[in-house]
Amino acid sequence: MAEEKKERDSNEESVKLFVGQVPKHMTEAQLLTMFKEFALVDEVNIIKDKTTRASRGCCFVICPSRQEADKAVNACHNKKTLPGASSPLQVKYADGELERLEHKLFIGMLPKNVSETDVSALFSDYGNIKDLQILRGSQQTSKGCAFLKYETKEQALAALEAINGKHRMEGSTVPLVVKWADTEKERQARRAQKALSQASNVPNTDSQHPSLFAALPMGYVPPYNGYGYQAPGPYGLMSYRLPPMQNQPGFHNMIPPINQGNALRPDLVPSMNSRNYHVPPTSYIGSYPGLHHPMAYHGGMVSPRPLSGSSGSVPPAGVNNHSTTSPGTSRSPGGQVEGPPGANLFICHIPQEFGDEELANTFQQFGRVLSAKVFVDKTTGVSKCFGFVSYDSPEAAQSAISMMNGYQLGGKKLKVQLKRDKQNNKPY
DNA sequence: TCATATT
C-alpha cells in the first residue's frame, strides 16, 4: 500500500487510458508492443473477470504524460480494428482521469453577495486561477458555492489546506469550506441515492442546499488519493448504505411498473414490496429431472401453436411462471456466455420492462439458457428492447425461434433470430 | 436491430 502511494506520487503526470474492443486472447505484451508504435507507454493492464481471470475484452494503458496519452487516443480511437474484434478500438481517458488532472476545487459557505473578484482575490494567493465559477440560481442569486481550477495540483492543495475551515469571508459567520470537487462517479452515486430515498419517502440531507450540505459538521475531507475515488467521507456512509434488496440482481428493473394492459404479469417485475420476489428459484434442471433434450418439452409443456389466431394470447408455458434462473445452472456470474455456433439468439421488441431475468425465464423452456442479456442504456438504465439469449445447443435455439418468433408479448411481436456471426476481422 | 467492458 505504501508502495502504491509512492508509485502514484512519483507518477503524477502519468495518464491512464481505457481501451475497449480488445480481443480476449491478446496478451499485455502484445498490446504494449502495438501501442508503443503510437506513443510512449509505461504499462498495459488487461481487465479481467474477478473470478475466472479471463480477459473482459478491455484494458488500461498507462502513458507517462497527457501528451503521450493524446497521441495514443488520436492514433487508435475508432481507427483500428484488432483481429477478432467486431468493431474498432475504443481509446479514452479512464474514468476519473480527466477530473484528476483538473485539480478542481469546491468552495462552499460563500457569502450570498460575493463576487468573482472577491473570490479571486483570496484564492490567487495560492496560484494562478484557470477557471472560477460561482454557482447562481435563476435570478443570478448566488448559491453560496463555487468551483475553481488552478494550474497545478500543488496550488490547489495549498489553497485547500490554508483556507478550508479556517478562513471566514467578510459578511459571513462561518468559515469557507474547500474540498476536492466530486468526481462524476460520486455525483452519480449521490443522484442514485437521492432517487432511492425519494422513492422510499425517507427524508434525506441531499435535498438541502449544496453549501449547507457541504458544510455539515464533519467537514473534514480526506486528502485526495490521486485516483478520483475518495474513501467514504462526510456522506460516504449514507451513499453506500443501500437497502439489501437494491444490491440484488434485478435492481435495474425497479423502474416503476408501467401498466399498459399488456399480457405481462406485474409479479414478473421484481419490486421491493412484492412478496413474489422471494419465491424460491426453480431451476431448470430441478423442474425437469432427467430431461436433457430440449425438444422433449415440446410435446408436454408447450402449446404447439402459440401464434395461431385468437388462441395466440395464451403464452407458451413458462412465460408466466415464477421460476427464476437458478444460479447453479445458468449464466456465469460475470458476463455474457456465448453458446456453441447456432445456439445464440438475437431478440428484439422485448417489452420495455423486461430485464435479464425475465428474458431468461421466458426462454428457459426451450433449453438450457447459458446467458440472457437485455441491453439497457448505459446512463438511464432504460431497456433498449433488444437482447441476447444463448443456449447450450442449436436445437434449443431453433425451437425457441419456432415458438417465440412473432410471439406477441406486450405491445409488439418478438423478433427472434440467430445472432449474427462476427465476421469483420481486420488485421491492424 | 447484433455482446459498451472501468482491475
Side-chain angles (χ1 to χ4, degrees):
Chain A
M1 181 176 91
E3 199 157 352
E4 238 174 80
K5 179 166 171 19
K6 191 177 111 201
E7 170 150 355
R8 214 169 287 155
D9 286 350
S10 64
N11 273 338
E12 193 103 311
E13 291 299 298
S14 74
V15 174
K16 179 161 68 176
L17 297 175
F18 173 83
V19 180
Q21 295 304 322
V22 175
K24 293 185 169 52
H25 57 79
M26 284 188 80
T27 66
E28 292 177 344
Q30 289 173 320
L31 289 162
L32 187 65
T33 306
M34 189 204 71
F35 281 110
K36 276 187 167 168
E37 291 178 31
F38 309 105
L40 295 175
V41 176
D42 293 329
E43 209 178 311
V44 172
N45 300 124
I46 288 176
I47 299 168
K48 306 186 185 88
D49 183 276
K50 266 193 271 296
T51 55
T52 70
R53 309 293 299 158
S55 166
R56 303 196 60 167
C58 48
C59 69
F60 290 119
V61 169
I62 316 288
C63 294
S65 69
R66 204 158 162 179
Q67 190 187 5
E68 294 301 319
D70 290 338
K71 273 158 69 176
V73 172
N74 292 331
C76 302
H77 179 65
N78 272 141
K79 297 243 166 78
K80 8 180 83 324
T81 302
L82 265 24
S86 51
S87 47
L89 279 176
Q90 300 300 107
V91 186
K92 344 183 293 202
Y93 282 62
D95 279 359
E97 236 6 44
L98 266 176
E99 290 163 299
R100 183 177 70 82
L101 296 162
E102 276 190 320
H103 339 287
K104 191 176 185 180
L105 292 176
F106 171 87
I107 305 167
M109 291 286 93
L110 289 168
K112 297 294 176 199
N113 54 5
V114 80
S115 71
E116 329 277 332
T117 319
D118 299 332
V119 178
S120 318
L122 173 60
F123 282 83
S124 56
D125 284 351
Y126 303 91
N128 285 332
I129 297 173
K130 223 166 60 175
D131 190 49
L132 169 64
Q133 166 191 18
I134 296 178
L135 272 62
R136 300 181 190 282
S138 45
Q139 327 295 341
Q140 294 306 330
T141 70
S142 161
K143 294 195 169 182
C145 56
F147 290 107
L148 183 149
K149 288 180 208 165
Y150 283 111
E151 273 168 356
T152 71
K153 180 178 175 179
E154 287 66 34
Q155 295 167 355
L157 190 59
L160 188 155
E161 286 175 344
I163 298 175
N164 180 37
K166 296 177 185 158
H167 188 278
R168 197 173 53 74
M169 285 192 93
E170 201 176 307
S172 177
T173 60
V174 288
L176 289 180
V177 168
V178 183
K179 60 184 224 69
W180 298 109
D182 279 355
T183 64
E184 180 60 31
K185 276 201 162 170
E186 289 161 336
R187 287 207 299 276
Q188 270 176 16
R190 185 150 335 145
R191 272 200 300 275
Q193 176 64 31
K194 185 171 174 177
L196 288 174
S197 50
Q198 278 176 355
S200 53
N201 276 328
V202 178
N204 81 86
T205 46
D206 255 10
S207 58
Q208 296 182 11
H209 192 281
S211 62
L212 290 177
F213 187 71
L216 286 173
M218 52 318 210
Y220 173 70
V221 174
Y224 191 52
N225 66 16
Y227 254 11
Y229 308 115
Q230 288 174 3
Y235 13 83
L237 285 177
M238 188 182 65
S239 298
Y240 298 116
R241 197 182 50 218
L242 303 177
M245 195 61 87
Q246 287 151 5
N247 289 325
Q248 299 305 311
F251 166 35
H252 57 281
N253 284 327
M254 296 197 331
I255 308 161
I258 311 159
N259 250 326
Q260 298 158 322
N262 59 29
L264 295 177
R265 288 174 50 160
D267 55 5
L268 276 180
V269 181
S271 101
M272 281 223 292
N273 37 23
S274 161
R275 294 169 147 218
N276 293 324
Y277 192 72
H278 296 289
V279 168
T282 308
S283 89
Y284 165 77
I285 288 191
S287 305
Y288 310 107
L291 295 185
H292 289 291
H293 199 289
M295 297 306 280
Y297 302 133
H298 288 187
M301 304 301 298
V302 174
S303 149
R305 304 179 59 209
L307 304 177
S308 61
S310 53
S311 65
S313 65
V314 179
V319 170
N320 273 349
N321 80 27
H322 279 191
S323 64
T324 58
T325 319
S326 148
T329 60
S330 66
R331 27 199 165 129
S332 79
Q336 312 86 356
V337 181
E338 175 119 4
N344 303 292
L345 298 178
F346 170 72
I347 297 144
C348 54
H349 306 314
I350 297 169
Q352 185 84 58
E353 48 274 85
F354 264 44
D356 296 353
E357 200 136 301
E358 288 77 18
L359 186 64
N361 286 342
T362 307
F363 281 83
Q364 70 179 2
Q365 57 190 311
F366 307 108
R368 184 193 302 246
V369 172
L370 300 179
S371 74
K373 176 127 212 94
V374 173
F375 272 71
V376 297
D377 183 281
K378 212 160 101 185
T379 53
T380 68
V382 175
S383 164
K384 292 186 165 166
C385 299
F386 74 89
F388 298 90
V389 168
S390 292
Y391 289 105
D392 64 354
S393 77
E395 290 80 9
Q398 283 306 328
S399 92
I401 290 173
S402 64
M403 299 301 290
M404 296 304 288
N405 185 36
Y407 181 73
Q408 177 115 10
L409 198 51
K412 291 185 173 175
K413 289 182 175 175
L414 281 184
K415 179 178 272 195
V416 182
Q417 46 193 216
L418 284 179
K419 179 174 112 58
R420 226 165 49 193
D421 257 347
K422 56 175 153 192
Q423 57 235 117
N424 33 358
N425 290 0
K426 293 176 225 150
Y428 65 85

